[in-house]
Structure formats: structure tokens, C-alpha cells
Amino acid sequence: MNPEKTTLLYFSPTATTRIILEEIAKGIGKDVSAAIDITSPEIRTQTPPEFGEDLVLIGAPVYGGRLPKDAATYFKAVRASGSLAVLVVLYGNREFEDALLELRDISVEDGFFPLAAGAFIGEHSFANNEFLIALNRPDEKDLEKAFLFGKQVADLLNGNENLAELTPVDVPGNFPYKESMSLGPLQFIDVTDDCDACGICITVCPKNAIDEADTYSTIEKDCIYCCACIKACPLQARVLKDSPIKNKAKWLSENYARRKEPQIFLIQVS
């Protein structure tokens, strides 16, 4: 089976996962028939799609070594009938730990055949001009590697007729998976006087966790610490305040500044 088109399926609050999937798709060289962005909470209330003879690129960021819970829940509800899949996680230069294995396992349970997978680096949620944790990644080199990864996937598709009869791609990780990150409700974002109530933070939040009626403050119990609202603010009116999150950002910047490179995994073809 060599599908003529590809579909993108992703959770991407700060767009890094989307950017990498799009570049991989360019490398594969097939038309993208649909891009299903499940970042919006409204999209996640809709019935998940079913896939037949498709090639689906599935991606999500890594939060504390795991998939975001909202993304994992949605992915588990997707159904496929032997559809080929390429799996991608984006992590902030620390570790991707069990996230890629978790995504591989979910995809197999859904009915996908994952033939390739990748762990790419994206700007960390907590990164800013003070805490340089993979700042501005994916960069040009990352995009080049994503494109070449796509070409490798294309070679697999073009060179093998019965991929789905092979063993799904093997990826690193441990099972049982590590416990999901749980920091508890935290007040970690200050809204400064520069805020002009443009509402962009509301549109990018994947959890409807911005309280417009309360000076666009964050609803702590719903926040998943993706910091999409901070990164999207055109006036930089949302900032990290002194908190355990800011302390974590400082620690990450001190211990994970050395550049890491993407890792890719392909099925073994005899």
C-alpha cells in the first residue's frame, strides 16, 4: 500500500509540532489532503476521524516525558484500518522519555501501522530571552532533517509493497510509562499593564484557561503550562512571575543548554 495523499493530525499549542509535520510531509512529496489540528478544545469535542488507506502523520509535544493528556485522550479515540502512520514528538531539549513509545502504542491500538517515528526538538514551553531552552527551534537545521526524514519515509513507501505485514517501528521508552507531570494549580503568569485586551491569548489557549472577565488572568486549575499565551502575546504583556515554574525554567536553562539533535526510527526491512 502506497497512499497517494497524506493527512496531518496534531496537537501543537506553540506550533512547533505542526511546523515539523509540515516539513516531513514536504519530504514525503505527497499532497496533504487534510490537516487536523486538535489544539483547539472545540475541535476535540468533535467525533474523531476514521482512517482507511491513508498515510497519517501524527504529532504532539512532550510534557514531562509523556504526551499531553488531552492529546493522548483524543488519539485513543481515533480509529484506523491498517492505515500507515508516521509518529512525531517535539521536546524542549531535555528528554522525550516515554512519550514516543506512548504514541506508538496508542497508534497500534487504534489500528495504525507505524512505519517511522521521530523525536524532534522544539522551543521549550518555558523558554524566553532569559531562559534559552532550545530557543527558536525548530530552526533551519531541524527543518532540513525533518525534510530528509520525509524522504526516507518516501523511500520506504516506494520500495516496499507490504509494509503493514512487518513489525511496527521500534522506539525507545519504558512501560509502565513514567507518571504524568502534575504540578498542581500554580499562579505563574503575570499580566502586565501593557495588555491591550486584544484577546489573542484566548484564541491560542488549548484549554480555555484565560479569564477575559478577570484581566485575562490564567485559570490555574485548567492550565497545562504550555505557555502558548505568553509566546503569542504581541505586546509581551504576559510574563513568567516568580514561581516554581520560573525556577524550573532557570534549572532547565542551566542544565539543558547543550544542543540536542532529532532522532529518527524506521521499520526494519529485510
Side-chain angles (χ1 to χ4, degrees), residues 83-124:
S83 310
L84 301 178
V86 176
L87 311 176
V88 173
V89 296
L90 268 282
Y91 71 104
N93 208 56
R94 188 185 66 83
E95 298 290 348
F96 60 93
E97 293 177 293
D98 300 337
L100 192 56
L101 177 63
E102 183 181 11
L103 183 55
R104 198 281 307 269
D105 293 346
I106 290 173
S107 71
V108 171
E109 291 174 4
D110 288 344
F112 287 102
F113 176 78
L115 73 158
F120 285 77
I121 292 80
E123 180 174 299
H124 197 283

Side-chain angles (χ1 to χ4, degrees), residues 1 51-56 79-85 111-114:
M1 179 172 63
F51 296 99
E53 294 186 358
D54 304 277
L55 173 63
V56 185
R79 291 294 174 264
S81 301
S83 310
L84 301 178
F112 287 102
F113 176 78

